[in-house]
């Protein structure tokens, strides 16, 4: 099951001419695809475009009505390869994935697609995951556009601009026979707004029609001598055609007065931030109207030199707002100015940071610095001559601790790392590699297990240098999503082929959990449109793994510890794989909470387990936390002058997984943990028994308190 269902919102995708659509950017993109006659759609989930895949999955009925093919691809490479349908056929196709890691995975297919060129419009919608909201390495997809020479759109982050970019992307692709990448930044994906809709359009040529009338052209196959012809065709034909379309259709936009002796060039995705900076300086109104000349690059590759030259006419200073590094666009514009021998001063990374997210404050500081040089009279007096006596804003990074990500409350992956930590206490520290996914959090405190990750599904492959055995066997982590994405062939197949003597732990939480809880091949749920319930252990045996151990309840820390010990000490010389399975707690709660609430509302008896810590028994050692790290397991200070140290405490967010008690038992820690079942709608006998217990307990507590008072001398 996905993180959320879009079934209700999907009904808005049926709106037609003259209607108003209101919602998130993700839904707007889906609606725009349907309005522009897309013939097939695919992709791989990943923030910030996970919801796009979820929307498409929930909209399968509507797409089927229109004759649109939808596929949840096994990887980004499979998604990009799907665009091959547009090479020979005039079918519009779109795929989506996370960037830049998704672009990295898909790069081989993208390079071949860009070489051969396309007949139908081919659109890659990439969730550009950059900045402090990102979960990946900080890179840009722009370099891939330059390398493979496909075109890149970066629209202004509002729904009318985003939906227009989908239309422009298809048409630009068809006009230049080149695939187009549409950048959907984090804020663009989740921005809300409205736009006027058009009727959905069935594809002019469906995939079924194309299969019934197969087409081929050997000149589009990427083989010599045609690969050399493709390179020349890019420069001599496709690029000029693209520039002509961009100029003729005004894909880039101009705002403000064009007569001023200065101006700002910016990526479309930076528009809202720049306008906000101008508003704070009193140079734009609440509607975004401004006299400051703006040249908005909704197309960031290619840059049209004639448009840039026209914008620079009569200007002495031009500022470029380009988020991220390297400064690809700035280098291009600097080259244009140098070759044209213009005396225009280009400002960019000299007044804006080379790297890092361009937040509101960063842009305000950068625009202010630019205007101090280019047009100081426009700035408010307080900005031109700031009060030097004003108190400095403290650098909170020096005092506020960082907040790295961590496992959710009740996560079934936490006990795996607790067992691994206990095993290492006995056998010594091992070489451990991580992988992309929730299990990567195990590299952080309190576990600190695994110190490297090389890519989705590449955990065991990144340990290949240590696979020859030795005093201690290497251990690698791999998730079920990564296993089906790339791990089966690139990691497990690599281990089998090279007769690895190391250990791989496959964390099977039933879903592609880190990307939003989408089903994968080994998901236990029944999926009407996808083939689930394909055991990972069977796939392992199929590629030649002989030593496989299946654990169906990771919360059994003792069993996890025993199996890990066996894998690390067995005489078997070959790949050893442990499949550790338990359902993702977030998805379990999403599934069970509505059912539990319904049962309680209907008056049925429901037990809800909760765990606690007996503060009278807890010694304050806190060893349980060093082997758990659960957010619900915290500290509490007692009103006891004889006990200075805080004791362990489980708060109301506990989901009753039992991991803390299991860890305490396996590690032979204190017996202070207890389980209490909260009973909703109890029977008459249970209610009577509870009242009786409460009376007896109250009397015993009153007697104890009275005795304490007498002993203290307060009562004579």
């Amino acid at each position: 099951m996905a993180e959320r269902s879009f079934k209700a919102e999907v009904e808005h995708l049926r709106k037609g001419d003259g209607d108003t659509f209101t919602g998130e950017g993700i839904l707007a993109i889906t609606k725009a695809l349907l309005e522009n006659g897309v013939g097939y759609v695919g992709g791989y989930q990943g923030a910030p475009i996970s919801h796009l895949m979820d929307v498409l999955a929930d909209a399968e009925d509507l797409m089927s009505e229109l004759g649109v093919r939808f596929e949840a691809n096994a990887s980004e490479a499979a998604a990009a390869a799907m665009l091959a349908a547009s090479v020979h056929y005039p079918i519009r196709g779109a795929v989506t994935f996370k960037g830049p890691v998704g672009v990295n995975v898909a790069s081989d297919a993208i390079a071949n697609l860009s070489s051969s060129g396309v007949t139908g419009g081919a659109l890659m919608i990439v969730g550009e995951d950059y900045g402090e909201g990102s979960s990946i390495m900080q890179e840009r997809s722009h370099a891939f556009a330059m390398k493979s020479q496909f075109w890149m759109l970066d629209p202004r982050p509002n729904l009318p601009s985003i939906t227009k970019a989908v239309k422009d992307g298809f048409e630009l692709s068809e006009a230049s026979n080149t695939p187009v990448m549409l950048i959907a930044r984090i804020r663009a994906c989740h921005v809300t707004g409205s736009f006027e809709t058009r009727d959905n359009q069935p594809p002019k040529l469906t995939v079924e029609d194309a299969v019934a009338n197969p087409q081929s052209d050997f000149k589009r196959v990427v083989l010599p001598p045609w690969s050399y012809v493709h390179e020349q065709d890019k420069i001599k034909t496709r690029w000029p055609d693209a520039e002509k379309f961009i100029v003729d259709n005004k894909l880039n936009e101009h705002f403000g007065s064009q007569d001023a002796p200065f101006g700002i060039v910016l990526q479309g995705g930076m528009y809202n931030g720049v306008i906000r900076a101008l508003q704070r300086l009193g140079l734009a109104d609440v509607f975004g109207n401004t006299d400051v000349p703006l040249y908005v690059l909704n197309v960031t590759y290619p840059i049209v030199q004639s448009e840039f030259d026209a914008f620079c006419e009569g200007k002495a200073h031009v500022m470029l707002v380009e988020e991220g590094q390297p400064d690809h666009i700035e280098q291009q514009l600097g080259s244009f100015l140098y070759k044209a021998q213009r005396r225009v001063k280009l400002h960019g990374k000299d007044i804006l940071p080379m790297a890092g997210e361009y937040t509101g404050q960063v842009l305000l500081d950068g625009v202010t610095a630019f205007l101090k040089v280019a047009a100081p009279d426009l700035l408010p007096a307080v900005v031109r001559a700031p009060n030097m006596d004003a108190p400095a804003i403290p650098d909170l990074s020096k005092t506020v601790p960082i907040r790295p990500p961590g496992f959710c409350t009740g996560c079934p992956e936490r006990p795996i790392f607790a067992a691994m930590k206990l095993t290492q206490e006995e056998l010594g520290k091992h070489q451990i590699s991580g992988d992309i996914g929730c299990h990567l959090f195990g590299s952080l405190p309190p576990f600190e297990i695994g110190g490297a990750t090389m890519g989705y599904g590449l955990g065991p492959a990144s340990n290949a240098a240590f696979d020859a055995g030795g005093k201690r066997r290497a251990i690698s982590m791999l998730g079920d999503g990564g296993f089906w994405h790339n791990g089966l062939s690139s990691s497990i197949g690599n281990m089998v082929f090279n007769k690895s003597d190391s250990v791989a732990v496959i964390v099977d939480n039933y879903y592609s959990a880190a990307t939003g809880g989408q089903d994968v091949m080994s998901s236990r749920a029944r999926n009407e449109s996808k083939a689930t319930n394909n055991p990972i252990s069977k796939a392992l045996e199929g590629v030649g793994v002989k030593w496989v151990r299946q654990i169906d309840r990771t919360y059994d820390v003792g069993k996890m510890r025993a199996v890990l010990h066996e894998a690390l000490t067995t005489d078997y010389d070959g790949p050893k794989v442990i499949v550790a399975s338990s359902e993702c707690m977030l998805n379990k709660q999403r599934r069970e909470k509505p059912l539990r609430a319904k049962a309680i509302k209907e008056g049925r008896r429901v037990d809800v387990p909760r765990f606690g810590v007996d503060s009278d028994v807890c010694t304050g050692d806190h060893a349980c936390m060093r082997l758990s790290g659960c957010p619900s397991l915290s500290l509490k200070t007692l009103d006891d002058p004889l006990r200075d140290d805080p004791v362990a405490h489980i708060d109301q967010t506990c989901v009753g997984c039992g991991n803390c008690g299991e860890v305490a038992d396996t590690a032979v820690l204190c017996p202070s943990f207890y389980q209490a079942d909260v009973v909703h709608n109890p029977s008459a006998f249970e209610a009577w028994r509870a009242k009786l217990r409460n009376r007896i307990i109250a009397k015993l507590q009153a007697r104890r308190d009275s005795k304490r008072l007498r002993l203290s001398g307060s009562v004579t």
Side-chain angles (χ1 to χ4, degrees):
M1 61 181 296
E3 183 176 294
R4 59 171 288 198
S5 172
F6 287 88
K7 287 290 186 182
E9 291 92 334
V10 161
E11 289 304 310
H12 298 302
L13 299 177
R14 297 182 180 275
K15 291 188 174 184
D17 277 341
D19 293 332
T20 299
F21 183 100
T22 302
E24 269 193 312
I26 290 295
L27 279 160
I29 291 174
T30 313
K31 173 58 175 165
L33 291 173
L34 299 178
E35 289 181 356
N36 286 282
V38 69
Y40 62 94
V41 189
Y44 191 83
Q45 60 272 357
I49 51 82
S50 294
H51 286 343
L52 181 51
M53 289 299 296
D54 298 336
V55 170
L56 292 169
D58 287 342
E60 271 197 271
D61 291 342
L62 172 58
M63 290 193 290
S64 296
E65 294 172 16
L66 294 168
V68 180
R69 162 71 175 163
F70 168 68
E71 178 159 324
N73 302 109
S75 70
E76 297 88 349
M82 190 181 182
L83 290 172
S86 293
V87 172
H88 296 296
Y89 302 94
I91 309 174
R92 288 184 169 181
V95 296
T96 181
F97 38 78
K98 175 190 183 82
V101 287
V103 181
N104 293 340
V105 174
S107 60
D108 197 11
I110 293 173
N112 280 277
L113 184 73
S114 298
S115 182
S116 64
V118 295
T119 301
L123 191 63
M124 295 172 282
I125 303 166
V126 172
E128 192 75 334
D129 196 6
Y130 184 82
E132 293 181 5
S134 170
S135 61
I136 57 168
M137 78 289 288
Q138 296 295 274
E139 291 186 354
R140 299 169 61 191
S141 301
H142 193 98
F144 283 89
M146 298 170 64
K147 175 187 76 69
S148 296
Q149 290 178 308
F150 57 79
W151 320 135
M152 179 172 282
L153 304 185
D154 186 2
R156 290 190 292 133
N158 61 70
L159 266 54
S161 294
I162 293 170
T163 53
K164 181 179 181 297
V166 173
K167 176 178 180 293
D168 291 339
F170 279 131
E171 294 178 353
L172 174 60
S173 177
E174 291 164 342
S176 60
N177 301 117
T178 304
V180 171
M181 181 175 286
L182 171 60
I183 294 296
R185 295 166 182 262
I186 294 175
R187 290 180 175 83
C189 287
H190 302 302
V191 69
T192 57
S194 60
F195 68 97
E196 187 174 315
T197 62
R198 298 181 289 123
D199 288 336
N200 295 329
Q201 299 295 324
K204 294 179 180 178
L205 179 69
T206 66
V207 289
E208 288 186 7
D209 295 334
V211 171
N213 183 27
Q215 303 291 319
S216 63
D217 181 357
F218 65 86
K219 295 179 182 179
R220 290 193 178 275
V221 179
V222 187
L223 282 174
W226 300 112
S227 53
Y228 314 136
V229 176
H230 296 165
E231 182 183 26
Q232 296 296 325
D233 188 47
K234 287 179 179 179
I235 301 301
K236 296 178 180 178
T237 305
R238 300 184 204 172
W239 195 310
D241 287 348
E243 289 196 344
K244 183 177 186 304
F245 183 89
I246 293 166
V247 173
D248 290 349
N249 292 275
K250 296 182 173 59
L251 267 56
N252 296 319
E253 298 175 284
H254 292 84
F255 297 96
S257 170
Q258 300 308 305
D259 298 328
F262 67 94
I264 301 176
V265 181
L266 60 144
Q267 296 163 301
M270 291 286 97
Y271 176 81
N272 288 3
V274 171
I275 285 295
R276 179 57 182 150
L278 293 174
Q279 288 174 341
R280 293 173 69 182
L281 292 170
L283 300 177
D285 63 22
V286 293
F287 301 104
N289 299 312
T290 180
D291 289 331
V292 175
L294 302 179
Y295 175 36
V296 181
L297 298 174
N298 293 314
V299 183
T300 53
Y301 191 81
I303 304 294
V304 182
Q305 182 172 358
S306 60
E307 281 192 351
F308 177 65
D309 285 344
F311 180 75
C312 291
E313 195 67 41
K315 292 180 173 56
H317 297 272
V318 170
M319 176 186 184
L320 171 64
V321 180
E322 176 185 12
E323 186 178 53
Q325 56 86 26
D327 51 348
H328 299 301
I329 300 176
E330 186 170 341
Q331 292 180 38
Q332 180 67 77
L333 299 187
S335 175
F336 287 161
L337 293 173
Y338 177 77
K339 291 179 180 179
Q341 297 183 347
R342 283 184 174 271
R343 294 186 177 275
V344 177
K345 174 64 176 176
L346 179 63
H347 304 264
K349 299 296 186 181
D350 55 332
I351 55 177
L352 285 166
M354 173 60 81
E357 183 179 7
Y358 283 0
T359 62
Q361 187 61 47
V362 168
L363 287 172
L364 176 61
D365 293 342
V367 171
T368 301
F370 170 66
L371 292 176
K372 282 182 177 179
V373 175
D377 292 342
L378 290 180
L379 293 173
V382 68
V383 176
R384 292 198 303 270
N387 182 8
M388 302 305 294
D389 296 328
I393 299 175
D395 183 1
L396 296 180
S397 65
K398 299 291 191 298
T399 56
V400 178
I402 61 171
R403 294 183 60 192
F407 295 111
C408 300
T409 300
C411 176
E413 300 181 15
R414 186 177 286 108
I416 298 173
F417 291 98
M420 199 172 292
K421 195 167 184 177
L422 290 169
T423 304
Q424 288 195 105
E425 286 181 1
E426 179 184 355
L427 300 178
K429 187 175 177 63
H430 286 64
Q431 162 60 34
I432 303 176
S433 68
D435 204 309
I436 302 298
C438 300
H439 43 278
L440 188 57
F441 301 151
S443 63
L444 304 173
F447 304 111
E448 299 181 58
I449 291 175
T453 177
M454 290 294 107
Y456 202 27
L458 296 178
S462 63
N463 244 6
F466 307 100
D467 275 356
K471 184 177 180 181
R472 296 191 183 105
R473 286 175 173 139
I475 307 171
S476 54
M477 308 301 298
L478 181 61
D480 48 353
F483 175 82
W484 295 114
H485 176 276
N486 190 32
L488 179 59
S489 59
S490 295
S491 282
I492 303 301
N494 189 67
M495 291 177 70
V496 174
F497 185 69
N498 290 288
K499 298 184 178 180
S500 163
D501 188 35
S502 61
V503 178
V505 179
I506 299 178
V507 182
D508 173 23
N509 56 29
Y510 302 7
Y511 309 93
S512 183
T515 63
Q518 294 83 6
D519 283 338
V520 292
M521 288 185 67
S522 52
S523 295
R524 308 296 175 93
R526 182 182 176 186
N527 190 313
E528 296 297 332
S529 62
K530 301 290 180 288
T532 52
N533 286 285
N534 296 285
I536 291 175
S537 57
K538 294 293 184 183
L540 292 169
E541 293 168 4
V543 296
V545 181
K546 306 298 183 186
W547 197 101
V548 180
R549 299 291 184 269
Q550 175 75 44
I551 298 176
D552 285 320
R553 183 175 175 273
T554 61
Y555 296 104
D556 190 339
V557 179
K559 185 174 182 179
M560 276 295 318
R561 182 184 188 182
V563 172
L564 280 165
H565 188 279
E566 179 191 1
L568 294 169
T569 58
T570 180
D571 292 334
Y572 178 76
D573 184 13
K576 290 157 281 290
V577 183
I578 301 169
V579 183
S581 303
S582 274
E583 183 177 13
C584 166
M585 183 56 71
L586 274 182
N587 268 26
K588 184 178 180 180
Q589 292 297 312
R590 291 184 190 116
R591 180 169 51 79
E592 291 186 348
K593 275 187 175 180
L595 299 177
R596 187 163 61 236
K598 181 181 179 183
I600 293 172
K601 186 176 181 180
E602 292 174 352
R604 286 182 277 152
R605 185 183 184 280
V606 176
D607 287 356
V608 181
R610 286 287 184 271
F611 284 79
V613 176
D614 189 332
S615 57
D616 291 331
V617 178
C618 177
T619 64
D621 175 69
H622 308 149
C624 51
M625 297 180 185
R626 293 193 289 272
L627 288 169
S628 172
C630 181
S632 67
L633 184 58
S634 57
L635 298 173
K636 180 175 72 173
T637 302
L638 300 176
D639 293 329
D640 187 342
L642 299 179
R643 300 189 67 178
D644 296 334
D645 293 335
V647 298
H649 171 67
I650 298 177
D651 64 26
Q652 74 281 0
T653 62
C654 172
V655 295
C657 71
N659 177 58
C660 47
E662 293 271 1
V663 167
D665 181 65
T666 305
V668 196
L669 301 175
C670 67
S672 60
F673 290 94
Y674 64 85
Q675 177 178 338
D677 291 334
V678 179
V679 180
H680 297 269
N681 301 318
S683 65
F685 173 73
E686 287 176 317
W688 172 81
R689 185 176 60 185
K691 289 180 180 178
L692 179 61
R693 283 175 172 170
N694 289 336
R695 287 174 188 157
I696 294 173
I697 291 171
K699 287 182 179 179
L700 292 174
Q701 288 175 333
R703 189 173 71 177
R704 181 194 61 188
D705 293 342
S706 177
K707 185 177 180 180
R708 285 177 173 172
L709 288 172
R710 285 198 305 272
L711 291 175
S712 66
S714 298
V715 177
T716 58

